[in-house]
Amino acid sequence: MGRFQVAGAGAWIVALVMALTAAPPFAAAERRADIRLEGELSRQNHETYVELPFAVPPETGRLTVVFRHDGAGDRTTIDLGLRDPDRFRGWSGGARDRFTVAETDATPAYLPGPLPAGTWNLVLGVPNLRPGVTTTYVAEIWLDPQGAPSVGLTEAPLRQGPAWWRGDLHAHSGHSDGSCRSRLGVRIPCPVFRVVETAAARDLDFIALTEHNAVSHTQALRELQPYFDDILLIPGRELTTFQGHANLLGLTAPLEFRLGAPGAADLDRVLDRAGALGATVSVNHPRMPSGEACMGCGWQAEIDWSKVHAIEVLNGGAMAAFGGRAESPLSGVGFWEGLLDQGHRLTAIGGSDSHDPDRPVEAPGALGRPATVIHAASLSQSDLMAGLRAGRVFIDLGHPGLKRLDLEAAAAGRTALMGGALDAPAGASIAFRVAIEGASGARIEVVESGGVRELLPAQAGEQIDQTFTRRSDGQRRWLRINLRDESGSLLAIGNPIYLNWGDAP
């Protein structure tokens, strides 16, 4: 009836799996399954339940099952369920041929929670199997240990192809301190679907929900992602400590955040662990004051900055506190540029820090304002985080229609794009090119290390292609661009190109 096999099964099983699945079903399928369960069912299994045992080792943090059979043409129906050594973990019937169960989240119909070591059972229900029919099945199971890097919620990119993707990397729901109005107008902890619904209505390509030290929203995001298939949902967490706040983007695994607790002696130790779990780390609102109004909001910790990937230089809440002004004492731009001058390559990002999806879109701190725009190979969590870490990012403060803001540098036969590095010997001429789409009337401000600024002559048109040059002094420098309107107000912030950076951290 059934056989248990570990990785290394016979060639016929591999051929069957390849025939029954046209593409890797999820991220884990990029590696060979840890366990294969294969066998045959016949009429004697009609209207019965078959249990296929398999072993789950200690300290397993995630389990993923993919099931296939060849009986569809004969109307064979096989339902799926899962039982751990202590309890039933879920039943999806014939609705799914794959599912995931983890400590913090699970495919709908299955229960998240710790994965106890011991004998588990994949449960097959057989409501229909015709006389004379034999159905062959293969179940593949992937086991990921506790502490393995988190993976995205989608099996494949929502959209393929390189593009500039617009989103919000800092938002809250009722799983921490986000609130909104109920249908009767009562203020309540805001359900996740309202936040996502608003983000989709505002034409964002992605949104990260970053609850304070919580992971419970991951389950809601997993359930909502198949319906909201036009906006990528990124699980995250706002690491909230008495010494500073940081977003841990893409992280779903548990993480000790209480400084001084075992394994979290200081922020360096916590960030080490977050990095090992695959998180993209961004320091939030570093210039916000810390006190009774916002405990630990300002960044006070001394850390190894190589463990950080980004700085939230513009925060919607900070902007709202100054009537929408981006350039205020609460701006993190100066904090970020000081770190650049020290030799740290850190990407500037923005975040609305939205706590209420009902906040009007024109108001600072509304969902999507400011927006972070990332150039990535596809609309997927892995590609977006790769683009962010590479510095292929600009921040849009709300200029309608701004689709592209990019910077290119060329010298001595070499080129670099925004976020990249370029070596230029002393005396070499560096040609810079700015490409803008959708910001008619905006003026380009060139910002260089050391505080040097230059406002370039204005150009008309929806598409701007403007050039300027610099003479290299052979020293380590950085150069980036801002966009300003006719009155001088800031519209957008670009990330640097790093000149003669070499192997600096």
Side-chain angles (χ1 to χ4, degrees):
M1 183 184 300
R3 295 184 293 278
F4 172 92
Q5 293 193 349
V6 296
W12 78 269
I13 301 176
V14 177
L16 176 61
V17 172
M18 293 179 64
L20 292 173
T21 180
F26 52 96
E30 295 175 0
R31 74 171 198 267
R32 182 182 289 250
D34 299 295
I35 298 170
R36 286 191 179 89
L37 308 174
E38 47 84 17
E40 296 178 345
L41 301 172
S42 62
R43 179 63 178 181
Q44 67 181 359
N45 302 114
H46 175 72
E47 294 185 346
T48 67
Y49 297 94
V50 177
E51 297 206 357
L52 307 179
F54 62 95
V56 171
E59 300 185 357
T60 297
R62 182 175 294 270
L63 177 156
T64 302
V65 174
V66 173
F67 183 83
R68 292 286 189 272
H69 69 85
D70 64 357
D74 293 312
R75 301 295 295 270
T76 298
T77 303
I78 301 178
D79 297 337
L80 292 181
L82 184 68
R83 186 163 59 82
D84 73 19
D86 304 315
R87 61 175 177 157
F88 216 75
R89 294 300 288 262
W91 183 260
S92 53
R96 294 182 176 85
D97 61 3
R98 65 202 67 191
F99 59 83
T100 292
V101 175
E103 293 181 273
T104 57
D105 58 281
T107 300
Y110 293 86
L111 296 175
L115 278 62
T119 299
W120 289 52
N121 282 271
L122 181 64
V123 184
L124 309 183
V126 191
N128 189 63
L129 209 162
R130 292 174 173 175
V133 171
T134 298
T135 295
T136 300
Y137 65 80
V138 172
E140 290 192 304
I141 302 173
W142 285 258
L143 302 172
D144 294 302
Q146 295 173 356
S150 300
V151 296
L153 302 178
T154 59
E155 297 176 359
L158 294 192
R159 278 173 270 170
Q160 297 279 3
W164 289 98
W165 308 104
R166 175 181 298 268
D168 195 335
L169 290 172
H170 191 168
H172 298 273
S173 77
H175 283 263
S176 55
D177 52 351
S179 66
C180 58
R181 297 287 181 184
S182 71
R183 287 170 59 86
L184 293 179
V186 179
R187 185 154 291 279
I188 60 166
C190 199
V192 172
F193 88 89
R194 282 288 294 113
V195 180
V196 177
E197 188 175 58
T198 300
R202 293 179 181 175
D203 294 326
L204 298 183
D205 297 308
F206 63 89
I207 182 172
L209 256 70
T210 52
E211 311 295 1
H212 296 284
N213 298 326
V215 296
S216 54
H217 57 294
T218 305
Q219 180 69 13
L221 292 175
R222 182 173 290 281
E223 183 171 355
L224 291 172
Q225 182 66 89
Y227 177 78
F228 288 96
D229 54 0
D230 56 348
I231 178 170
L232 185 72
L233 309 183
I234 301 174
R237 191 171 327 170
E238 185 167 12
L239 174 68
T240 306
T241 78
F242 304 131
Q243 297 181 18
H245 297 187
N247 275 347
L248 309 178
L249 301 171
L251 185 63
T252 62
L255 179 74
E256 179 59 75
F257 65 90
R258 298 168 299 165
L259 299 186
D266 53 35
L267 264 176
D268 259 334
R269 189 79 58 87
V270 176
L271 295 180
D272 268 335
R273 180 63 175 158
L277 292 170
T280 297
V281 179
S282 168
V283 165
N284 292 346
H285 41 67
R287 285 283 173 84
M288 289 281 282
S290 295
E292 291 183 354
C294 188
M295 295 298 293
C297 273
W299 193 261
Q300 304 172 51
E302 294 292 332
I303 61 168
D304 177 355
W305 286 99
S306 68
K307 301 170 185 176
V308 175
H309 306 102
I311 305 291
E312 184 188 72
V313 303
L314 292 181
N315 174 277
M319 291 171 59
F322 277 81
R325 284 174 49 202
E327 296 173 293
S328 77
L330 301 185
S331 166
V333 172
F335 181 92
W336 167 58
E337 291 181 339
L339 290 169
L340 296 180
D341 287 338
Q342 293 173 34
H344 303 292
R345 289 178 64 169
L346 297 162
T347 301
I349 63 172
S352 71
D353 204 355
S354 169
H355 285 70
D356 181 358
D358 296 331
R359 189 175 178 87
V361 66
E362 62 273 9
L367 202 62
R369 186 176 181 192
T372 299
V373 189
I374 305 174
H375 191 273
S378 73
L379 185 56
S380 68
Q381 181 175 301
S382 59
D383 283 343
L384 282 175
M385 293 301 100
L388 187 157
R389 294 183 185 214
R392 299 288 292 140
V393 175
F394 69 87
I395 305 166
D396 179 13
L397 278 73
H399 190 284
L402 179 59
K403 298 177 181 178
R404 182 187 182 198
L405 172 62
D406 207 356
L407 178 66
E408 181 180 350
R414 296 182 293 270
T415 62
L417 293 172
M418 184 168 67
L422 179 70
D423 287 335
S429 177
I430 308 173
F432 291 92
R433 176 186 170 216
V434 182
I436 303 169
E437 183 178 351
S440 180
R443 296 196 66 180
I444 297 168
E445 180 184 43
V446 181
V447 184
E448 303 180 53
S449 47
V452 178
R453 294 175 180 265
E454 178 189 3
L455 199 60
L456 301 182
Q459 285 191 2
E462 285 296 307
Q463 298 201 28
I464 297 174
D465 193 333
Q466 198 159 356
T467 60
F468 60 94
T469 60
R470 291 289 187 272
R471 184 71 61 182
S472 173
D473 63 2
Q475 302 300 307
R476 187 173 68 194
R477 306 286 184 191
W478 55 264
L479 184 148
R480 64 176 192 84
I481 56 174
N482 290 328
L483 288 188
R484 296 188 179 274
D485 64 17
E486 293 180 355
S487 69
S489 295
L490 192 63
L491 296 175
I493 291 177
N495 271 279
I497 288 177
Y498 299 90
L499 303 172
N500 298 313
W501 214 254
D503 295 325

